[in-house]
Amino acid sequence: MKHIVKSWDDYQKIYQYSVEQPQAFWADIASEFQWKKSWDKVLEWNFSEPNVKWFQGGQLNITENCLDRHLESRGDQVAIIWEPNDPKDQEIKLTYKELHQKVSQFANVLKKQGVQKGDRVCLYMPMIPELAIAVLACARIGAVHSVVFAGFSANALADRINDAEAKLVITADGSFRGAKTIALKDITDDALSHTPCVETVIVVERTKQVCQMQEGRDYWWHEEVASVDADCPAETMDSEDMLFILYTSGSTGKPKGVVHTTAGYMVYTYYTFMNVFQYQEGDVYWCSADIGWITGHSYIIYGPLLAGATTVMSEGIPTWPDAGRYWATCDKYKVNQFYTAPTAIRALMAKGLEYVAPYRLDALKVIGSVGEPINEEAWEWYHKYIGKSQCPIVDTWWQTETGGMMISPIPNVTPLKPTFATLPLPGIQPCLVTQEGKEIEENGVEGLLCVKYPWPSMIRTTYGNHERCKQVYFSMFEGKYFTGDGCRRDEDGLYRIIGRVDDVINVSGHRLGTAEVENAINEHDAVVESAVIGYPHEIKGQGIFAFVIVNDEISEQKLQKELKELVVKEIGPIAKPDRLAIVSGLPKTRSGKIMRRILRKIASGEADQLGDLSTLLDPSIVEEIKSLV
Ligand code: PRX
């Protein structure tokens, strides 16, 4: 395996090589895979259009590299361990051979239903093995998967189905989440009343709850797989053929479909998985994310399977049946690398050590964090009580758009510093720029985080709207990819992500646009205008605060209830405001722009540091809001 970093000396040499000869560097790694035809050109790029192409001329199928490639050497090794919601239920272990067979079989179901290369398939599913199988089955036949997190509402699902023009949807009768069940098929049916593009629905039986099956449109998974054989040759894909779309929130408008393509994504997720987790043959690795997010795509499915790892996938939630569930699961499977989000760590930390004490965690070698800034207290607790002060914490900074981890410690090699994602991984060239776009060379500074050279798994486009991709990421600072994050670089050159500088908020590691939540709130008849901001929240990282102006005599209690319900209906429970205040006006500039900065300061308890208010139209509003909050 080339360019795996094992020492500080390695890191320096490999990093330098990756910057000086990026094409040779990535070609070295790419050559470890099975190609149907090798590439002609490693990289072609410009960031102004943007146009980025990796491994052009190459042909491959990512599932041959995730599955077929391992059959001879580790066909009987467990590929996926599935831990059910209820710990009393039986886990499922699928070997590489079995997974290969199930993927091929379901790929044949998709084909039988008329799905062809390039068609989009939407997956709205619980965390069950069929989700991983369906993702890979799409890739097997060259269909583009669009996984929608199963916590999103019918409206949010319909928007995503329509934007991608998916012709087939895969869902389940219901899903288990702790003590609750969610009627996924009913939600899907609601969505499907607004999605003319969908021809077929395949339904996995999970909860066995009653649901409607529409004749000629809806089919049961188990009946369909019984009618096809388990041999499905992998479709030949060009390196730059689309692999998947994943919707994510931005500062304006509806969520956008981030597009990832085949070869670059494969090379990058594999390489970063190996480096950041220092995965060794036989290790058991667990990422607790949901496959509905990029973390699950890259580091439950693709990265680990490309590496021939054993990857755990869990259906449940961290606090059910009790707050020891993560640690019980780590103990049960002797997990060696564990990867989770700061929100989960903070929530479990708050429950107390009695939930950690009963379990043996001594198989752990590396523990990871992703999705949001990890505060120092949570870092220390994770390090001391979960890692027993023996396991390096990899605080990995990356994004849906980056496809894979970008800035992260490499365990036992590069330095650790609580709350710092530390150093760029080989091949990644981050930089900090000023508001004016000037690159800041020195250390001990803060700036806007950009990346100035392409990496294989970077966003290629936003589905159906290339201009939007260009505007959002490549127009702010010429020749650079702009991340949307503010960042500090300390005296030693270590990076610490401060948080978003745009109107994106990060609630429990879930990314939401404030405009999306405002649009939902504005649907209410009594609402004239609203402004939504994120404020510091002890467990969730950021909470959602909505300031609303209403036109009617409506009781505050009723409005609170109805607005929360409305947001849940429009987006999903993850977007439900934590706090709502009815105000008579919003702080605006003379040109009518809402000064969210002022609302953020007030909601963060920093009302004494409002900064320059000279452009503010009506200062009395600020006083009113201060007294309300
Ligand atoms: O603000 C950063 C934050 O999460 C954003 C990306 O969100 P998403 O696309 O949903 O992907 C999350 C999983 C990769 C970033 O712009 N973020 C992600 N990781 C970290 C982080 N903030 C601080 N530290 C991190 N390790």
Side-chain angles (χ1 to χ4, degrees), residues 248 293-295 339 342 369-374 394-402 404 407 419 421 483-485 496-500 504 506 509-511:
T248 193
W293 312 113
I294 191 68
T295 307
Y339 193 29
S369 169
V370 59
E372 40 171 336
I374 181 166
V394 289
D395 175 358
T396 61
W397 171 82
W398 57 295
Q399 309 178 295
T400 306
E401 295 87 343
T402 69
I407 305 185
T419 78
T483 65
D485 281 315
R496 175 183 201 263
I497 311 303
I498 298 166
R500 303 289 305 198
V504 168
N506 196 325
H510 302 139
R511 183 168 154 183

Side-chain angles (χ1 to χ4, degrees), residues 423-491:
L423 293 170
L425 294 172
I428 301 306
Q429 301 186 36
C431 63
L432 300 184
V433 301
T434 63
Q435 294 282 356
E436 294 71 41
K438 194 173 162 307
E439 191 173 333
I440 312 171
E441 304 283 349
E442 58 273 24
N443 284 342
V445 289
E446 266 181 28
L448 302 171
L449 182 61
C450 294
V451 187
K452 56 185 178 181
Y453 195 84
W455 65 102
S457 65
M458 67 184 291
I459 179 173
R460 297 300 196 271
T461 189
T462 42
Y463 190 75
N465 190 349
H466 192 63
E467 185 59 24
R468 190 168 177 195
C469 172
K470 175 176 168 173
Q471 287 304 327
V472 174
Y473 307 105
F474 298 93
S475 302
M476 274 292 262
F477 306 112
E478 207 193 320
K480 295 184 177 72
Y481 165 81
F482 174 51
T483 65
D485 281 315
C487 181
R488 187 180 150 63
R489 188 167 57 216
D490 76 1
E491 299 298 341

Side-chain angles (χ1 to χ4, degrees), residues 34 56 70 96 228 294 336 344 409 435 437 473 489 615:
Q34 195 173 307
Q56 262 191 95
H70 302 308
Y96 274 91
V228 293
I294 191 68
N336 301 109
Q435 294 282 356
Y473 307 105
R489 188 167 57 216
T615 56

Side-chain angles (χ1 to χ4, degrees), residues 52 80 105 131 146 150 179 182 223 233 301 387 434 514 547 572 585 605:
V52 176
I80 294 180
Q105 199 164 34
L131 171 52
S146 166
I182 298 165
E223 289 174 5
I301 300 183
T434 63
T514 53
F547 296 87

Side-chain angles (χ1 to χ4, degrees), residues 8 48 122 167 247 258 280 355 395 417-418 556 560 623:
W8 177 240
S48 51
C122 175
K167 73 187 234 194
Y247 286 85
V258 171
Q280 305 276 320
Y355 292 102
D395 175 358
K417 183 169 175 179
E556 171 145 9
Q560 292 262 1
E623 291 312 311

